[in-house]
Amino acid sequence: MAKGPVRHLVLDSEAASALLSSVPVSAKRAAVMEAIAAANGRRLVPAAVRGESGWDRTDPVAANTNRLIGADDVLDRTAANRVAQLRVVVTGASVVDAAVAVAAERAGSDGGVVEVLTSDVADLRDLAANIRATVDVVHL
Amino acid sequence: MTATLEELIEAMSAAEDADGSKATSVRLPEALHRAVLLATELGMDESFTAATSRALRERLGDFVRREALAEHFSKFPADLPRLADVARRRVQGSDHPGVSRPELIEEAAAWVEQRRPEWAVSGAVDDTVDEVLGYVEMLAARVGRRRRST
């Protein structure tokens, strides 16, 4: 159980792709690993991000990644509605970015800071300003 | 056949989705049994079963995280982060004193890392970061430092 500040983590597609990499040295994967090590709360990947980054949990190649981020944020009926609502407010946001924001909102629903690790800081900041959670958007 | 981390993750994932339950017999210390019953009555959880399941889930989750981090950092040593960087990132956006006093995080992390050089590959990431942040709180509050007389 977390003792000090609670930090959750939501990955975007770039972060998920970096984590899937199996090359011996990768600066991006190292940055994602620092974020995972720092996140003592929920660690989520939105289902839409998995689709975009090609993260198939049944593929043996994804075994290492599955261990590190075991939870999916499912794009269910409620989440789909929220994605649609956010895309009305932040018109340039993609479905995947909005799904990341919805996952962040769910992760931070009972407190803590949610780190969103993303290559698209501008859109995610706009989205984060419209959700009910404390979000720290970090550039990958 | 030895169990794998994948099997454990799969079993935990199935446990999230499944509604069914299975009766099992566990011998608990009598005082602990009574303590859980009292805590349940006081509102900690809805039932003894819920309290036990939640505690087991948390413990399993911690174990999987420890093992996964240890395995990854052993396999990819170039991904090893600095303890100070992980601690600083943990508190980013919070009201922890380390946010405004990053030099204290550096100081505490350097000291802890000297004592526990294997902190990441042993998987003890959360305990070690908590230790660093605990020291930072004490340093920020000047606990144990002699005050100057006026």
Side-chain angles (χ1 to χ4, degrees), chain A residues 2 14-15 17 20 22 24 33 37 43 49 56 74 90 99 107 110 130 135:
Chain A
E14 182 91 11
S17 298
L20 284 164
S22 58
M33 285 308 299
R43 293 168 295 277
V49 164
D56 173 3
V74 182
V90 183
D110 50 7
N130 289 284
V135 179

Side-chain angles (χ1 to χ4, degrees), chain B residues 83 108-119:
Chain B
L83 178 55
W111 188 72
V112 171
E113 205 159 19
Q114 227 175 16
R115 293 172 60 224
R116 294 207 214 178
E118 302 290 309
W119 67 277

